[in-house]
Amino acid sequence: MFAATLLAGTLMGGLTARAENGDIAAKRGAERTVFTNSEIVDGFFKIAFGAEMRLAGGADRIRKFDGPVRVFLDNRTGAVRRSDLAAVIADIRGHVARLDIAMTGDRKAANVVVTLVRDRNELVRTMRVRYGRGRADEIERRLAPQCLSGFSEDSGHHIRRAEVILTAAGNEFGFFDCAYEELLQALGPINDDRSVPWTMFNDDVQMGFFDIYDQYILNILYDPRVKAGMTRQEIDALLPEVLPTVRAWVSRTNLLPREEAHGGETRGFDGSDLD
């Protein structure tokens, strides 16, 4: 039996295998890529703990999958979006170390189900079927989402199942922005925080691609030393060991110059040399 259900929505508001959408390319070109350790740590604590909306249970522990993540697409529209979703998932897999995530055509094998609906009206109807009218209306009142993600965790704070609802209507930028944010939130960092200006987990920020800052957040979360159920205090003690490894991975996979990889800092989180 699941111990808690937590939800996050994307309010109204990067792919290299093909010509990129112009709006996404513009966002990527303006992306900030240099962050200090303190900026990364501040965002991690604000986003990996807490929840934008919780239906049950607490949100003061690390939540994450502890095994392979398999994503099934339930397409209830005529829109051809499977290849787009597959590209998003491949991009996430390529930029998060130790995260085994892939699509599956077998719904029974999936622990993440992405439901694609036509538009926002159908999204609301789907929420009412899934969560009941009372809870769906509360979600609508508090989040007014264009898309939605949520997960259920067990008593050890391992995510056992996640669900994402995306809408096919709208422009390409909106679809990719929703797909990235909701899939990433379904992996554990489900809180939104407007005080962190560099993250897509901020209702005032739209990206449309997997930005550098959020790669730091997800790579800290899925470092094998970070365990489901850990407290803020346990993570704080662990970060001096984890952060240099995460910086090296993000630097290598994004071909960042040395000064960007180190955030302009010459020493590690704990004062030790990063070299």
Side-chain angles (χ1 to χ4, degrees):
M1 183 174 182
F2 295 126
T5 300
L6 302 102
L7 297 167
T10 297
L11 302 180
M12 297 179 68
L15 302 174
T16 57
R18 64 177 191 177
E20 189 167 59
N21 171 269
D23 291 332
I24 297 175
K27 292 278 188 178
R28 194 189 295 276
E31 177 189 15
R32 178 180 169 183
T33 60
V34 181
F35 301 97
T36 66
N37 287 330
S38 59
E39 287 171 333
I40 296 169
V41 170
D42 178 64
F44 180 81
F45 279 113
K46 289 177 177 176
I47 294 163
F49 291 92
E52 189 173 11
M53 182 174 181
R54 53 189 157 180
L55 300 183
D60 58 348
R61 302 278 181 151
I62 288 292
R63 293 74 48 95
K64 62 187 289 187
F65 284 97
D66 62 351
V69 179
R70 294 295 177 262
V71 184
F72 176 82
L73 174 60
D74 178 8
N75 190 345
R76 302 182 181 182
T77 77
V80 181
R81 286 293 189 184
R82 182 178 177 82
S83 62
D84 291 335
L85 185 65
V88 169
I89 292 168
D91 191 29
I92 294 170
R93 181 176 64 247
H95 287 95
V96 182
R98 307 295 183 89
L99 175 61
D100 179 2
I101 183 171
M103 290 194 72
T104 178
D106 181 1
R107 186 172 192 141
K108 292 181 180 180
N111 46 14
V112 177
V113 175
V114 176
T115 303
L116 184 65
V117 299
R118 285 193 304 272
D119 52 29
R120 194 167 179 279
N121 289 333
E122 190 169 342
L123 181 144
V124 173
R125 288 193 293 271
T126 302
M127 288 194 306
R128 287 174 175 170
V129 170
R130 190 161 294 175
Y131 303 115
R133 188 181 186 95
R135 283 183 170 178
D137 289 349
E138 182 183 3
I139 295 167
E140 170 65 15
R141 177 179 58 81
R142 292 175 58 180
L143 302 180
Q146 284 293 331
C147 41
L148 189 74
S149 62
F151 58 72
S152 297
E153 61 183 82
D154 64 19
S155 59
H157 303 281
H158 306 94
I159 301 174
R160 293 309 184 201
R161 180 176 177 82
E163 295 182 341
V164 174
I165 308 174
L166 302 177
T167 56
N171 59 28
E172 187 176 35
F173 177 86
F175 176 82
F176 281 109
D177 185 57
C178 270
Y180 273 104
E181 179 174 354
E182 301 306 334
L183 278 166
L184 291 171
Q185 288 192 311
L187 295 173
I190 204 163
N191 200 29
D192 271 46
D193 195 304
R194 283 187 163 92
S195 72
V196 186
W198 314 288
T199 178
M200 72 178 74
F201 308 127
N202 176 336
D203 287 335
D204 297 327
V205 176
Q206 288 77 46
M207 290 290 192
F209 66 99
F210 193 9
D211 58 288
I212 299 294
Y213 187 82
D214 291 318
Q215 289 181 38
Y216 283 126
I217 301 301
L218 268 294
N219 275 285
I220 293 173
L221 181 62
Y222 276 88
D223 186 284
R225 292 163 288 191
V226 174
K227 307 293 186 182
M230 279 188 166
T231 64
R232 293 172 184 267
Q233 292 74 22
E234 289 171 323
I235 295 298
D236 190 52
L238 191 61
L239 279 173
E241 177 184 347
V242 170
L243 195 52
T245 305
V246 167
R247 277 198 177 279
W249 168 264
V250 174
S251 172
R252 185 166 62 253
T253 56
N254 291 280
L255 303 178
L256 295 179
R258 176 183 170 82
E259 63 272 15
E260 296 192 11
H262 292 175
E265 300 170 337
T266 58
R267 306 186 73 79
F269 182 80
D270 60 353
S272 61
D273 290 332
L274 287 172
D275 292 333

